[in-house]
Amino acid sequence: MANPSAFHELVSLALRRVVRDWHAGVPCPSFGALRRPQVRSKSCPAGFDPNDPYTHYHSALARRTAFVFTIAMQLGQYVSIEQPGSSRLFLHCYRVMVMLGCVMSHFCFCHYGSAFKKPSKWLHNKP
């Protein structure tokens, strides 16, 4: 997504309806709760300083992903975006996806028989 030609190719694939089911795991170094110092919060998901290069880069990746997925949704394709349970990813563009029909599902990885239960949340429009 950071490469403009790759981004335009993904938009083209969505517009031509080549891919029926999209999935992304947006890199979450700046969206996670474990990063210190924190650069964003749930009340300020765009970042405390949106012009900071580190924050801006990760926000741009998230926005480009939402842009491609919004196009895909409007053309009848399925989308899902995976994030850790404590993620602060959901910028305004993801709230728009909820208005277009996406729902949030919460579950844990390694839940069956493992002591490690990593929480995860997925924004999706899949039945």
Side-chain angles (χ1 to χ4, degrees):
M1 286 291 188
N3 182 330
S5 63
F7 171 67
H8 291 294
E9 182 65 27
L10 290 172
V11 170
S12 173
L13 290 172
L15 288 170
R16 289 184 288 140
R17 298 178 183 168
V18 173
V19 179
R20 180 78 178 133
D21 192 339
W22 297 80
H23 178 75
V26 178
C28 60
S30 74
F31 293 103
L34 298 177
R35 187 197 190 290
R36 297 290 187 253
Q38 294 194 0
V39 295
R40 56 183 91 231
S41 68
K42 288 192 181 204
S43 62
C44 190
F48 303 128
D49 180 9
N51 296 323
D52 172 59
Y54 181 80
T55 306
H56 178 76
Y57 175 74
H58 289 108
S59 294
L61 291 177
R63 285 187 184 103
R64 286 180 173 196
T65 302
F67 182 80
V68 171
F69 280 19
T70 300
I71 291 171
M73 283 178 53
Q74 290 180 330
L75 295 173
Q77 300 161 31
Y78 294 114
V79 300
S80 60
I81 301 166
E82 171 191 355
Q83 280 293 290
S86 62
S87 174
R88 295 168 174 94
L89 171 69
F90 298 110
L91 306 163
H92 175 74
C93 49
Y94 290 95
R95 288 186 223 129
V96 170
M97 290 176 67
V98 170
M99 288 188 275
L100 292 172
C102 281
V103 295
M104 184 76 71
S105 295
H106 298 268
F107 58 90
C108 292
F109 289 111
C110 303
H111 184 70
Y112 303 100
S114 173
F116 178 68
K117 297 180 183 178
K118 178 184 175 189
S120 177
K121 56 186 174 183
W122 292 44
L123 181 68
H124 63 91
N125 69 341
K126 297 178 182 183

